[in-house]
Amino acid sequence: MKLLLPILLLPALTPACAQRPSAAQRESVAERPAVSKNPTYLFRSVSVSEEWDHAADDTLTTSVEYTEPFHDAATAVGVSVPIAKSVIGPAGESFGLGDMSVRGQWIPYETLHDGVLLTGTFTMPTGGKSGGSGKWRCTPSGAYARFWGPRFLLAQFVQQEFSFAGAADRDRINRTDLDLYGVYSSASQRWWINGDVNLRVDEANRNSLSSTTTVSYGRGLRRMMGGSLNGSVQTGFGMGVGRPYSEVVLVSVSLVGFH
């Protein structure tokens, strides 16, 4: 908790020193939806997603996320609410709230060629024993993104997640994630292909290694409320004992940059 509070409060206490994009660039998400995949652009957004996870007893998870930017889009706060429904698990069909989380985001540096994003996430064990980890968690992370023209970007993420309280009979959490994230978009930036390769080191489980790979296709569906209504389909697989999933399919719809 002591580590998370400075991350969440720093954006409010520190003036943004990034070279902010112009108003035209920020609003271009309506005409060029692929701009929404840039991790150093913070837009007001709301999304609804449905995820099928084969490893977790064939679980369907519906999540709702909302992000609100501040300080000329140099900072943002967000909330994520997962609602899980198990359809084939050994305990039969069940329905319940997952672990809710809140996050703070700050862009301390950004130019037309690269940018840095810092994030702090605080997760609560609202899912209980059936739908969540049973632990209070803190997740600081950082990302550096490099832009090769308007159509391709490559970003590296470093994330540390650890638990600090919760049910004594649940496993503690302490893991490091290294992510390589790339986006290629069409010339019109109406559609994009997103790839992500993750390596996880689980320090709480004898430094075990696992990895996941995901690929997604997304496109702008229509202009709406000054922003863009986007849709995407993602698939992926994992390897290693501590992998977050073995096979996954994610379908999402999001409204980005609306007023």
Side-chain angles (χ1 to χ4, degrees), residues 93-117:
E93 185 170 339
S94 63
F95 180 84
L97 187 69
D99 288 348
M100 297 176 57
S101 64
V102 294
R103 68 181 179 276
Q105 296 175 292
W106 176 41
I107 301 175
Y109 170 80
E110 181 186 9
T111 70
L112 295 177
H113 304 290
D114 57 359
V116 173
L117 172 67

Side-chain angles (χ1 to χ4, degrees), residues 4 28 106 118 122 127 155 208 237 256:
L4 177 64
S28 66
W106 176 41
L118 301 178
F122 176 62
S208 63
F237 63 92
V256 183

Side-chain angles (χ1 to χ4, degrees), residues 50 56-60 84-96 130:
E50 186 79 18
D57 298 327
D58 284 336
T59 299
L60 286 174
K85 181 177 182 180
S86 176
V87 291
I88 303 180
E93 185 170 339
S94 63
F95 180 84
S130 60

Side-chain angles (χ1 to χ4, degrees), residues 49-190:
S49 62
E50 186 79 18
E51 180 181 87
W52 169 77
D53 185 350
H54 176 63
D57 298 327
D58 284 336
T59 299
L60 286 174
T61 302
T62 302
S63 297
V64 179
E65 296 188 11
Y66 178 79
T67 300
E68 179 68 30
F70 298 96
H71 296 153
D72 199 23
T75 63
V77 295
V79 60
S80 176
V81 182
I83 302 172
K85 181 177 182 180
S86 176
V87 291
I88 303 180
E93 185 170 339
S94 63
F95 180 84
L97 187 69
D99 288 348
M100 297 176 57
S101 64
V102 294
R103 68 181 179 276
Q105 296 175 292
W106 176 41
I107 301 175
Y109 170 80
E110 181 186 9
T111 70
L112 295 177
H113 304 290
D114 57 359
V116 173
L117 172 67
L118 301 178
T119 304
T121 303
F122 176 62
T123 305
M124 300 157 280
T126 53
K129 292 188 176 182
S130 60
S133 68
K135 293 288 188 179
W136 296 82
R137 288 172 283 161
C138 177
T139 313
S141 66
Y144 172 77
R146 181 73 183 177
F147 318 127
W148 279 274
R151 299 179 58 184
F152 182 72
L153 70 87
L154 194 64
Q156 298 84 42
F157 288 79
V158 179
Q159 173 179 291
Q160 184 71 36
E161 182 177 18
F162 58 92
S163 59
F164 55 90
D169 61 340
R170 302 299 295 274
D171 293 338
R172 71 183 183 94
I173 296 170
N174 184 22
R175 54 199 178 209
T176 305
D177 286 271
L178 306 175
D179 249 43
L180 185 62
Y181 168 95
V183 180
Y184 173 81
S185 61
S186 64
S188 65
Q189 293 196 303
R190 297 295 305 173

